[in-house]
Amino acid sequence: MSGHSKWSQIKRTKGALDQKRGLLFSKFSKKISIAVKEGGGSGDPSANYKLKSMIDSAKEQGMPNDNIERAIKAAIGGSAGNIKEVIYEGYGPFGTAFLVECATDNTNRTHQSIKHIFSKCGGNIAAQGSVAWQFSTKGQILVERDNNLSSIELAAIDAGADDVRESEEGLEVYTVPNDLSKIKNILLSAGAKIARADIIKESGQGVDLTEEQKPKIDALFAELENDEDVIGVHTSANL
């Protein structure tokens, strides 16, 4: 399965977080705006699971409550501007597929930027529908390894998780998107140390890479993530 949002991305994010904090908060503001719009203009996280997920993720990355509240109010009041979500599809090196989620008020600018990044990194932007079919939307909870892992796994299964996978770093718990917050809270009550909980898009066509190939995919992933309009990157590459 694809590793787009697993442990390798956490390590990359932690290493560059301080230098990119302003950009990170700007991206979260856009994500919150999109979530409010998709929720019919509702700024109530209890009635909007995607907004709840965005707020939780923003807080975990240190975004102040005032910034979060301003983003919600701007989206409700319309002052966030004409930002809309656009998803681009593409191919990276070694037969890897990419979905790139963007929040933009200028699709021409964003399209050219994403196209340039793919070309620069040995890939190409693709037609709509070319790779999206292989990705499905899921809730993903990453639980860090400790001595309590077996009981955490049982708690996840009892809570209704769709899938639980053990890895070197800990557990990967997968849920339907609506159940992400509920199962996350159950795992926290069971003593889990959660590294990340997000709504992701996972490929069912995972591509294994050699150690020599991974740096090229990492470079493309990083270039896409660093674009100011990009709010999410998903790949079939097993990183």
Side-chain angles (χ1 to χ4, degrees):
M1 294 296 180
S2 75
H4 97 277
S5 185
K6 295 196 181 113
W7 308 97
S8 57
Q9 187 180 359
I10 290 176
K11 293 169 187 174
R12 284 197 301 270
T13 302
K14 284 182 178 177
L17 182 60
D18 286 341
Q19 294 91 340
K20 299 176 181 176
R21 193 168 293 272
L23 177 61
L24 182 67
F25 291 169
S26 174
K27 288 175 182 282
F28 272 123
S29 292
K30 291 179 178 180
K31 289 180 180 182
I32 288 169
S33 177
I34 295 293
V36 169
K37 289 180 180 179
E38 287 186 359
S42 170
D44 179 5
S46 66
N48 185 335
Y49 79 84
K50 189 170 183 179
L51 177 59
K52 169 65 174 169
S53 174
M54 291 302 104
I55 291 173
D56 288 347
S57 296
K59 287 182 177 179
E60 287 167 7
Q61 295 296 334
M63 187 171 179
N65 287 333
D66 286 349
N67 294 43
I68 293 171
E69 290 172 7
R70 278 199 300 271
I72 293 172
K73 288 177 181 176
I76 294 172
S79 59
N82 190 28
I83 294 176
K84 63 180 179 179
E85 185 175 32
V86 183
I87 297 178
Y88 297 98
E89 303 175 39
Y91 295 101
F94 318 118
T96 55
F98 279 78
L99 275 187
V100 185
E101 295 176 295
C102 298
T104 180
D105 58 0
N106 186 328
T107 54
N108 288 333
R109 177 196 68 219
T110 305
H111 180 272
Q112 289 304 315
S113 178
I114 301 305
K115 182 179 179 181
H116 172 73
I117 291 171
F118 271 109
S119 179
K120 173 184 173 182
C121 296
N124 61 277
I125 202 165
Q128 189 174 11
S130 298
V131 303
W133 58 269
Q134 64 178 266
F135 289 85
S136 57
T137 304
K138 300 179 179 182
Q140 181 193 66
I141 305 168
L142 302 183
V143 180
E144 294 184 8
R145 180 173 290 280
D146 64 13
N147 295 329
N148 197 31
L149 213 59
S150 59
S151 62
I152 299 298
E153 182 173 0
L154 287 175
I157 293 169
D158 288 343
D162 279 353
D163 191 14
V164 182
R165 307 172 198 162
E166 187 170 352
S167 68
E168 223 174 273
E169 295 87 352
L171 289 180
E172 298 163 11
V173 179
Y174 293 89
T175 76
V176 296
N178 282 7
D179 287 348
L180 178 66
S181 291
K182 180 193 79 173
I183 293 178
K184 174 187 172 183
N185 289 333
I186 290 172
L187 297 186
L188 285 171
S189 297
K193 186 177 180 182
I194 293 176
R196 176 167 291 179
D198 287 309
I199 303 295
I200 66 159
K201 294 183 185 297
E202 185 179 54
S203 171
Q205 308 288 321
V207 177
D208 290 326
L209 302 170
T210 66
E211 290 304 312
E212 291 75 23
Q213 292 173 331
K214 286 181 181 179
K216 284 193 174 182
I217 302 302
D218 274 331
L220 172 54
F221 202 112
E223 287 273 355
L224 289 167
E225 279 193 319
N226 288 339
D227 187 274
E228 64 179 355
D229 292 333
V230 174
I231 58 173
V233 182
H234 315 276
T235 179
S236 63
N238 293 326
L239 296 172

